């Protein structure tokens, strides 16, 4: 069984490398790209973004500051005391996100070009099953160590 997880780890590392090259071409990190996608999907407050991306607020703040300095997002103060911020993509942010998404889609198409649809669906099922098994194993290990 160790071989399966080793192979998965190698595949994940390879995908990470390819995705890093892709996002770096547009002067953003993978984390910033994920954040741009959240904002596009109307996850626009820091609390909602932190929850959706499972990030602590200090990490999220740094990423948002970076995206603001690159002029990819804008922020607007809202609420009674104007302390809550909502974020939106700028025109440059929308364009950048479209380019990255198109390049990422092309990468995924290239990866799965020769895979029949049924095998792609089976891979999704197996990866979801693996994820649940890893979560269960983690829970069991936490119970036995506490």
């Amino acid at each position: 069984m160790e071989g399966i997880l080793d192979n998965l780890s190698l595949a994940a590392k390879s995908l990470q490398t390819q995705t890093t090259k892709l996002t770096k071409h547009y002067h953003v990190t993978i984390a910033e790209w994920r954040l741009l996608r959240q904002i596009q999907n109307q996850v626009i407050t820091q609390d909602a973004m932190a929850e959706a991306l499972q990030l602590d607020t200090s990490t999220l703040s740094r990423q948002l500051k970076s995206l603001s300095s690159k002029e990819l997002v804008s922020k607007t103060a809202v609420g009674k005391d104007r302390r809550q911020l909502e974020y939106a993509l700028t025109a440059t942010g929308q364009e950048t996100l479209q380019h990255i998404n198109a390049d990422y889609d092309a990468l995924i198409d290239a990866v799965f070009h020769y895979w029949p649809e049924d095998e792609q669906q089976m891979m999704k099922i197996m990866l979801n099953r693996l994820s649940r098994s890893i979560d269960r194993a983690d829970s069991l290990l936490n119970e036995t160590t506490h």
Side-chain angles (χ1 to χ4, degrees), residues 11-136:
K13 194 175 281 190
S14 181
L15 178 61
Q16 180 88 9
T17 299
Q18 293 298 317
T19 307
T20 297
K21 282 185 204 173
L22 190 149
T23 56
K24 192 180 267 189
H25 178 75
Y26 296 99
H27 310 289
V28 297
T29 65
I30 293 173
E32 290 170 342
W33 172 49
R34 289 185 179 129
L35 195 47
L36 290 172
R37 291 191 317 187
Q38 288 298 314
I39 295 168
Q40 181 186 44
N41 291 330
Q42 300 303 308
V43 179
I44 56 175
T45 64
Q46 281 188 309
D47 290 341
M49 287 180 220
E51 185 177 326
L53 295 169
Q54 298 178 349
L55 293 173
D56 65 79
T57 54
S58 62
T59 300
L60 180 61
S61 292
R62 282 191 303 277
Q63 291 173 358
L64 287 168
K65 186 176 183 176
S66 175
L67 289 172
S68 291
S69 70
K70 294 173 186 177
E71 299 181 355
L72 299 176
V73 298
S74 61
K75 58 187 173 185
T76 306
V78 296
K80 289 180 184 176
D81 59 8
R82 315 274 299 155
R83 288 192 298 173
Q84 184 169 1
L85 298 174
E86 290 184 347
Y87 291 85
L89 298 178
T90 63
T92 303
Q94 289 173 350
E95 186 178 326
T96 299
L97 183 57
Q98 286 174 346
H99 287 298
I100 295 171
N101 286 345
D103 287 357
Y104 187 74
D105 288 346
L107 172 63
I108 298 305
D109 287 345
V111 168
F112 292 105
H113 182 74
Y114 295 107
W115 286 49
E117 185 64 33
D118 62 329
E119 288 184 8
Q120 291 180 46
Q121 290 304 318
M122 182 57 74
M123 176 62 82
K124 287 179 189 177
I125 291 166
M126 299 303 285
L127 288 172
N128 285 333
R129 186 175 180 185
L130 177 62
S131 181
R132 287 191 305 273
S133 294
I134 290 171
D135 289 345
R136 268 195 306 275

